[in-house]
Amino acid sequence: MTAIIQFVFFILGGLLSLLWWAIVISAILSWLVAFDVINRRNTAVYQVLDFLDRVTGPVLRPFQRLIPSLGGVDISPIVVLLIISGVQNYLLPALQGTLIALLG
C-alpha cells in the first residue's frame, strides 16, 4: 500500500511541476508578445500560446479576479507559483507521511 501512495504523490508532484513550468513559459511568452519580439499571427506561436492559455487559464483566472493589476502588471502568476511551490514542498510530503502512517 505504501508503494501506491508514494506513486500517487510522485504523479501529483510531477503534474504540479509541469503546471509550474507552463505558467513560467506562458508569462515569458506574454512578455515577448507585449514587446513585439514574437508575432502572435504566426500559427506556431499562436498554437503554443493558445495551448498554454488553456492549461494555465483555469488556475490563474480566479487569482486574476482577486488580485488587482499593479500598473498594468499582473502578479497573479507569481502568487500561483508560490502556492504551487508551497504545496509541493510542504503539503504533499506532510500528507504523504500522514497517509502512510494511517494506512501502513
Side-chain angles (χ1 to χ4, degrees):
M1 189 64 151
T2 304
I4 294 172
I5 293 172
Q6 289 174 338
F7 178 72
V8 168
F9 279 92
F10 172 76
I11 296 296
L12 287 174
L15 290 174
L16 285 174
S17 292
L18 286 175
L19 179 62
W20 193 90
W21 280 109
I23 292 171
V24 169
I25 293 169
S26 177
I28 291 171
L29 286 177
S30 72
W31 295 335
L32 292 176
V33 168
F35 290 117
D36 236 2
V37 175
I38 59 175
N39 192 347
R40 197 176 191 125
R41 289 184 296 244
N42 184 340
T43 56
V45 172
Y46 177 77
Q47 288 176 347
V48 169
L49 289 173
D50 185 50
F51 171 76
L52 288 173
D53 186 48
R54 288 175 189 254
V55 170
T56 61
V59 176
L60 290 175
R61 283 193 191 97
F63 291 96
Q64 289 171 340
R65 278 188 240 124
L66 291 174
I67 302 169
S69 63
L70 302 172
V73 177
D74 183 19
I75 62 166
S76 62
I78 296 169
V79 172
V80 172
L81 290 176
L82 287 173
I83 290 172
I84 290 173
S85 295
V87 167
Q88 280 182 312
N89 293 326
Y90 298 107
L91 291 182
L92 283 183
L95 185 59
Q96 181 180 1
T98 303
L99 281 175
I100 288 173
L102 285 175
L103 300 175

